[in-house]
C-alpha cells in the first residue's frame, strides 16, 4: 500500500497554514517550534534501558490503566500527544490507527495514546476518529514530567492565546501551560524502555515503521 507518510501529512498542514494564517500568527507558531527544537535536551528525556516504576493512566472510557496491565500480554506503546483539539494530533492519531495499530495488534502489543487533558474532554478525539486503541489521560502531567518531555509555551504564544480568550490550561482542564512534547515510548514486559523518540517540533512525529521494528525486536517476530 502506498500510504502517505505522517511527515507528509503534517507538511500539508503547515502548507495550509502558510496559505491561510495571518503572517504574524504564523511567525509565532514557527518561532515557538524552532525554540523548542533549539533548546531540546535529550539527556532529560526517558532513555532506552530505563526500568520504569509503576504508573497509572486514566482511560477516557472509564477506569485505571496501570502499567502492569498494559504489559501483561506483550509490549506497551505509549504515544504522547497534546490535547483533543490539537490540529497536528488530529492528523497523527488517525495515521497511527491506519499505519500502526493493526501491526501492533498482530504482535500482541498494546497501543495507548496519552495526553494530560482531563478524560471528560479528551475522549472526543477517540470518538471523532473511531480509534480502536486506548486513549488515556496522564493526571497532573505526572508521567510526562517523569519522562522529561514537558514544555511550556513561550511568552509570544501565551499572549496570542490570551487574545483568543483563554489559555491552554482552560482547554485541557489542567490549569497549567505545560504540555508534553510528542513522543513514542515502547516498554517491554519487564517495564524496561526499549524505544524512545521525542519530537520537540510538533509537526515532526514518529512514523509507524520504526515503532513496529522495535516491537518486533522484543517479540522476536521477523518483518514480512
Amino acid at each position: 500500500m502506498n500510504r502517505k507518510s505522517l511527515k507528509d501529512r503534517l507538511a500539508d498542514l503547515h502548507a495550509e497554514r502558510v496559505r491561510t494564517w495571518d503572517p504574524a500568527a504564523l511567525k509565532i507558531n514557527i518561532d515557538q517550534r524552532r525554540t523548542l527544537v533549539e533548546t531540546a535536551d535529550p539527556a532529560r528525556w526517558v532513555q532506552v534501558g530505563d526500568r520504569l516504576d509503576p504508573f497509572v493512566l486514566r482511560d477516557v472510557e472509564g477506569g485505571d490503566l496501570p502499567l502492569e496491565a498494559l504489559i501483561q500480554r506483550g509490549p506497551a506503546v505509549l504515544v504522547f500527544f497534546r490535547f483533543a483539539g490539537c490540529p497536528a494530533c488530529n492528523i497523527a492519531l488517525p495515521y497511527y490507527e491506519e499505519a500502526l495499530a493493526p501491526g501492533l495488534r498482530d504482535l500482541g502489543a498494546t497501543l495507548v495514546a496519552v495526553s494530560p487533558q482531563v478524560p471528560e474532554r479528551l475522549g472526543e478525539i477517540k470518538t471523532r476518529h473511531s480509534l480502536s486503541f486506548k486513549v488515556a489521560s496522564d493526571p497532573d502531567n505526572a508521567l510526562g514530567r517523569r519522562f522529561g518531555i514537558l514544555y511550556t509555551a513561550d511568552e509570544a504564544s501565551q499572549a496570542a492565546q490570551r487574545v483568543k480568550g483563554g489559555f491552554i490550561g482552560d482547554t485541557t482542564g489542567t490549569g497549567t501551560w505545560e504540555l508534553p512534547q510528542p513522543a513514542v515510548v515502547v516498554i517491554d514486559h519487564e517495564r524496561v524502555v526499549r524505544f524512545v523518540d521525542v519530537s520537540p517540533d510538533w509537526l515532526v512525529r514518529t512514523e509507524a515503521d520504526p515503532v513496529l521494528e522495535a516491537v518486533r525486536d522484543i517479540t522476536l517476530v521477523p518483518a514480512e
Side-chain angles (χ1 to χ4, degrees), residues 40-63:
D41 181 6
R44 296 182 56 194
W45 302 336
V46 61
Q47 303 291 316
V48 170
D50 288 352
R51 191 170 193 272
L52 302 178
D53 292 330
F55 60 79
V56 179
L57 303 171
R58 296 300 307 276
D59 193 329
V60 298
E61 296 183 323

Side-chain angles (χ1 to χ4, degrees), residues 4-21 26 29-30 33 87-92 95 201-207:
K4 197 169 190 178
S5 71
L6 181 53
K7 177 182 177 181
D8 287 344
R9 298 180 196 204
L10 293 171
D12 289 344
L13 173 63
H14 180 66
E16 178 65 17
R17 289 174 172 177
V18 171
R19 288 192 297 269
T20 61
W21 278 27
L26 182 65
N29 183 272
I30 292 173
R33 290 165 43 217
C89 304
N90 279 273
I91 291 172
Y95 165 83
D201 184 343
W202 56 76
L203 293 187
V204 180
R205 304 197 182 198
T206 310
E207 300 287 344

Side-chain angles (χ1 to χ4, degrees), residues 16-190:
E16 178 65 17
R17 289 174 172 177
V18 171
R19 288 192 297 269
T20 61
W21 278 27
D22 172 76
L26 182 65
K27 183 178 185 304
I28 290 171
N29 183 272
I30 292 173
D31 287 349
Q32 169 71 100
R33 290 165 43 217
R34 181 182 298 116
T35 297
L36 291 175
V37 171
E38 291 176 348
T39 60
D41 181 6
R44 296 182 56 194
W45 302 336
V46 61
Q47 303 291 316
V48 170
D50 288 352
R51 191 170 193 272
L52 302 178
D53 292 330
F55 60 79
V56 179
L57 303 171
R58 296 300 307 276
D59 193 329
V60 298
E61 296 183 323
D64 291 341
L65 293 173
L67 173 58
E68 294 300 337
L70 297 178
I71 59 175
Q72 186 174 16
R73 295 182 178 84
V77 179
L78 306 183
V79 174
F80 286 82
F81 69 104
R82 302 198 301 163
F83 55 95
C86 162
C89 304
N90 279 273
I91 291 172
L93 294 195
Y95 165 83
Y96 290 132
E97 173 69 32
E98 173 190 343
L100 183 58
L104 291 180
R105 280 195 294 271
D106 290 345
L107 293 168
T110 298
L111 175 61
V112 185
V114 183
S115 163
Q117 191 166 25
V118 294
E120 55 268 27
R121 300 183 187 180
L122 186 58
E124 68 178 72
I125 197 168
K126 181 178 177 73
T127 302
R128 182 184 305 128
H129 300 293
S130 301
L131 301 177
S132 63
F133 51 84
K134 294 183 180 298
V135 176
S137 176
D138 174 22
D140 301 319
N141 268 310
L143 189 58
R145 182 167 292 103
R146 190 192 303 183
F147 283 0
I149 62 173
L150 298 185
Y151 76 94
T152 299
D154 61 20
E155 291 184 7
S157 297
Q158 291 186 27
Q161 289 183 34
R162 289 192 181 99
V163 168
K164 295 178 182 178
F167 86 111
I168 199 64
D170 292 334
T171 299
T172 61
T174 62
T176 175
W177 285 100
E178 287 183 313
L179 289 171
Q181 298 172 77
V184 177
V185 180
V186 177
I187 307 164
D188 71 14
H189 68 286
E190 295 182 335

